[in-house]
Amino acid sequence: MARGFFFLVLVSAFVLFGDANSSNNLSPSVCHCRPVVNVAVDGSQCDLCSENKKLQQEIISLKEELETVKNRISQIQPGLSTSSYDLYFTKRVTTDYVIHHGLQIENVFTICFRVRTTDKTGNDRTVVSYSLSGNHNELLINKMQEIQLFINEQVTRTGVAVNDGNWHHVCTTWENKAGSWKVYKDGAVQASGSGFKTGYNIKTNGILIIGQEQDAFGSGFSANQNYIGELTELNIWNRVVSSSEINKLSKSCHGGKGNVKEWSDFKVGIRGDVTVISPSACEV
């Protein structure tokens, strides 16, 4: 007898499931199955259609809760879902920076970014620091009151200043065949030269730090060398971006994407109390 009851319940469930899935427009307020009342083994009655409606309502409630959680996450981390954001380094500390591993540029690169800073301390405050285990200044761009470019511990002092409190677009290019380099400010070449680290290949297995200078591999930071100010649109290419391209990039706050690193990549790796401003406050 018990086996018969089980069979009846099983058949009814198949009927319910088939009818419920035959409709393309399910609604928790409409019963989409035959109103069958079944008797369970213990003698109690079970309205399968009613249970189906309850299940649908629970699914809808769970979806609503999920959307609420997603909205809360977006409010906690504003700006991290888009490339239109700035990083604001406000403190003279060693704990605020962005970290990435590896940099595939080797014998040629273009690095562009936008900064707004009023720092006039004269310190070597650093935007980009790329370090190897045996060479802490494999690639370094610092000192916004007189931009300096380091490659493999050798420095070029460009004399280009961007620390007047206005937004400035900065690009640095270098290639190792002739050792030629250029520094652009707001789309125009401000300094250039050749014979700088000719034939040298930048190693690819280092650590890239934004906002601090590495005096050890991935560490050795100094509060006298960390970047102070706003930063946005940091992009890195493994080619020399042309003058016309750079001029075009300088006229739009969010127009470029590096093929090695693009600005949206730096949403990951933020450390300390770096402030994320979204949408970006960049002005051309």
Side-chain angles (χ1 to χ4, degrees):
M1 185 66 179
R3 183 176 299 174
F5 279 122
F6 276 119
F7 180 77
L8 178 60
V9 171
L10 183 61
V11 170
S12 298
F14 272 106
V15 171
L16 168 65
F17 185 81
D19 287 351
N21 283 282
S22 65
S23 173
N24 293 323
N25 187 25
L26 293 178
S27 169
S29 62
V30 179
C31 186
H32 293 279
C33 59
R34 295 189 182 95
V36 178
V37 177
N38 296 283
V39 180
V41 176
D42 60 1
S44 61
Q45 292 185 340
C46 176
D47 186 342
L48 295 181
C49 189
S50 176
E51 294 301 316
N52 185 39
K53 288 164 59 178
K54 290 179 182 178
L55 180 60
Q56 290 180 39
Q57 187 59 55
E58 288 177 5
I59 292 173
I60 291 173
S61 297
L62 286 172
K63 288 181 177 179
E64 291 174 350
E65 289 180 19
L66 179 60
E67 286 300 316
T68 300
V69 171
K70 288 167 65 177
N71 290 335
R72 287 176 180 172
I73 291 173
S74 66
Q75 291 170 5
I76 292 171
Q77 293 184 310
L80 296 188
S81 61
T82 174
S83 62
S84 178
Y85 70 97
D86 308 330
L87 297 181
Y88 191 13
F89 299 81
T90 61
K91 304 174 184 177
R92 291 169 173 79
V93 295
T94 61
T95 53
D96 297 353
Y97 58 94
V98 183
I99 182 170
H100 277 230
H101 293 269
L103 196 58
Q104 306 297 317
I105 52 178
E106 297 193 50
N107 58 0
V108 58
F109 67 77
T110 299
I111 299 176
C112 294
F113 51 82
R114 288 185 184 275
V115 290
R116 180 162 65 176
T117 179
T118 57
D119 181 71
K120 295 179 173 63
T121 61
N123 295 331
D124 295 340
R125 299 203 175 276
T126 300
V127 175
V128 176
S129 172
Y130 182 63
S131 171
L132 304 175
S133 59
N135 181 5
H136 305 147
N137 292 324
E138 180 72 352
L139 173 59
L140 182 70
I141 301 175
N142 67 4
K143 203 169 186 177
M144 294 300 100
Q145 69 268 32
E146 183 189 2
I147 294 175
Q148 300 181 139
L149 171 64
F150 287 77
I151 297 178
N152 187 231
E153 301 291 349
Q154 186 174 328
V155 62
T156 288
R157 295 177 175 86
T158 70
V160 179
V162 290
N163 63 331
D164 60 1
N166 297 313
W167 280 106
H168 291 289
H169 185 251
V170 176
C171 284
T172 301
T173 70
W174 172 82
E175 56 82 27
N176 74 348
K177 188 174 182 180
S180 60
W181 60 272
K182 292 180 181 179
V183 173
Y184 294 76
K185 175 182 175 181
D186 299 328
V189 176
Q190 299 292 303
S192 62
S194 60
F196 182 45
K197 299 303 294 184
T198 303
Y200 185 73
N201 287 322
I202 295 172
K203 309 302 185 295
T204 61
N205 58 340
I207 293 178
L208 176 65
I209 297 288
I210 307 303
Q212 299 279 352
E213 180 176 340
Q214 302 174 75
D215 288 329
F217 188 46
S219 60
F221 306 144
S222 167
N224 290 323
Q225 295 178 320
N226 71 300
Y227 175 65
I228 301 293
E230 293 160 90
L231 173 69
T232 193
E233 283 302 293
L234 174 59
N235 290 281
I236 303 176
W237 293 261
N238 60 359
R239 63 183 178 90
V240 172
V241 176
S242 69
S243 296
S244 60
E245 287 180 90
I246 289 175
N247 183 262
K248 183 178 179 180
L249 289 172
S250 72
K251 299 182 185 307
S252 173
C253 281
H254 305 287
K257 288 186 177 182
N259 67 341
V260 174
K261 296 284 186 182
E262 62 181 80
W263 181 232
S264 60
D265 294 336
F266 297 104
K267 295 179 292 188
V268 177
I270 299 173
R271 301 289 186 268
D273 292 325
V274 181
T275 301
V276 178
I277 300 173
S278 178
S280 172
C282 171
E283 299 173 348
V284 177

